């Protein structure tokens, strides 16, 4: 496993959160697994694809991604939290997944090689509000590559119980509440054919688009 960008301030505060959360993270995320399925369905990776799993955490997306990309596909998981990545590494070893590479790095400094076919940002609000991270990841995708983000968003103001839930979950998970109205906006500016499938009554969205085919011509 490679390591890079360990001094980044945002990831520093995030690392503190996930140091203590890692051990029970999978249990906490269990109620949100249908959202992961929706996000991966929208990403629709194909057999043989290389997928960047940005902020991969403990690797909960690896199995459903591998189901689609098959034995010839590759996953590159990027995450700055040593504790989260240690669990991802264990998961990979337990299943003997040879097509999964893990990079201990902030997304904006990850030593990505080549161009991938798709990128997933599942519950990674800090990364979605970080232009340098988005630019770096998108620069490592093929023209036409698919990109999907999913996570928490504010519900309409009158939905007080939902917003209390979003507030609690966000304070627990992210470094800044900035952009929770529409967390995908910075990503949307960088992609085309962008589509948002919002479920605001439960404080959740899934959104995605494609890297422009002409962007690096
Ligand atoms: C809520 S968890 C999501 C983990 C995984 N995507 C999932 O769905 O289970 C957010 C993850 O983003 C990671 N993270 C925070 N800042 C990051 C950054 N700048 N670059 C990459 N990952 C980051 C955290 O370490 C954490 O593992």
């Amino acid at each position: 496993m490679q390591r890079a960008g360990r001094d980044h301030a945002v990831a520093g505060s995030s690392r503190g959160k996930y140091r203590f959360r890692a051990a029970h993270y999978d249990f906490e995320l269990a109620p949100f697994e249908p959202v992961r399925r929706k996000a991966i369905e929208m990403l629709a990776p194909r057999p043989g694809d290389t997928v960047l799993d940005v902020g991969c955490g403990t690797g909960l997306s690896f199995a459903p991604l591998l189901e689609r990309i098959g034995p010839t596909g590759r996953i590159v998981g990027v995450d700055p939290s040593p504790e989260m990545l240690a669990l991802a590494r264990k998961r990979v070893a337990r299943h003997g997944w040879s097509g999964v590479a893990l990079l201990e790095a902030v997304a904006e400094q990850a030593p990505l090689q080549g161009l991938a076919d798709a990128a997933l940002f599942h519950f990674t609000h800090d990364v979605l509000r970080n232009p340098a991270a988005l630019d770096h990841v998108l620069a490592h995708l093929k023209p036409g590559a698919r990109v999907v983000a999913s996570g928490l968003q504010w519900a309409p103001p009158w939905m007080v119980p939902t917003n209390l839930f979003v507030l609690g979950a966000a304070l627990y998970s992210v470094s800044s509440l900035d952009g929770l109205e529409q967390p995908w906006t910075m990503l949307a500016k960088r992609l085309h054919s962008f589509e948002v499938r919002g479920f605001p009554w439960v404080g959740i969205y899934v959104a995605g688009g494609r890297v422009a085919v002409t962007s690096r011509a």
Side-chain angles (χ1 to χ4, degrees), residues 35 121 128 149-153 183-184 196-199 203-207:
V35 186
F121 296 81
L128 291 176
S150 38
L152 297 166
Q153 72 167 121
W184 55 83
V196 180
R197 297 179 191 164
F199 308 92
I204 293 288
Y205 73 93
V206 178

Side-chain angles (χ1 to χ4, degrees), residues 98-124:
S98 57
V100 182
L102 299 175
L103 304 178
E104 187 179 320
V106 287
E108 54 275 36
Q109 293 172 2
L112 300 168
Q113 309 281 325
L115 299 178
D117 301 283
L120 178 66
F121 296 81
H122 185 66
F123 281 71
T124 56

Side-chain angles (χ1 to χ4, degrees), residues 13-215:
S13 59
S14 165
R15 265 208 303 275
K17 285 185 196 294
Y18 289 101
R19 179 171 308 136
F20 300 106
R21 237 185 120 178
H24 37 95
Y25 180 81
D26 290 5
F27 178 71
E28 290 170 6
L29 260 276
F32 299 99
E33 288 311 298
V35 186
R36 187 185 309 280
R37 283 201 295 278
K38 280 209 176 312
I40 292 174
E41 192 182 292
M42 189 176 189
L43 190 67
R46 291 168 300 209
D49 274 359
T50 295
V51 181
L52 306 182
D53 186 357
V54 184
C56 66
T58 62
L60 283 170
S61 293
F62 296 168
L65 286 172
L66 285 164
E67 264 172 35
R68 288 176 176 259
I69 63 178
T72 57
R74 284 194 74 226
I75 296 172
V76 180
V78 178
D79 202 290
S81 163
E83 293 80 11
M84 296 290 269
L85 266 197
L87 294 172
R89 203 162 49 240
K90 273 191 193 165
R91 188 187 302 276
V92 171
R94 192 167 64 243
H95 290 277
W97 290 327
S98 57
V100 182
L102 299 175
L103 304 178
E104 187 179 320
V106 287
E108 54 275 36
Q109 293 172 2
L112 300 168
Q113 309 281 325
L115 299 178
D117 301 283
L120 178 66
F121 296 81
H122 185 66
F123 281 71
T124 56
H125 185 74
D126 285 337
V127 185
L128 291 176
R129 305 312 295 174
N130 179 338
L134 293 180
D135 288 339
H136 184 67
V137 171
L138 299 188
H140 289 86
L141 293 176
K142 291 177 185 169
R146 295 170 309 286
V147 180
V148 167
S150 38
L152 297 166
Q153 72 167 121
W154 291 131
W158 60 88
M159 301 193 74
V160 175
T162 304
N163 280 328
L164 285 174
F165 157 74
V166 172
L167 177 65
L171 288 175
Y172 188 46
S173 307
V174 307
S175 301
S176 161
L177 301 181
D178 170 59
L180 268 178
E181 302 77 26
Q182 295 189 321
W184 55 83
T185 50
M186 290 185 180
L187 192 60
K189 277 189 196 143
R190 289 165 169 78
L191 297 174
H192 78 88
S193 307
F194 203 82
E195 185 193 344
V196 180
R197 297 179 191 164
F199 308 92
W201 54 95
V202 286
I204 293 288
Y205 73 93
V206 178
R210 284 179 178 266
V211 172
V213 172
T214 53
S215 65

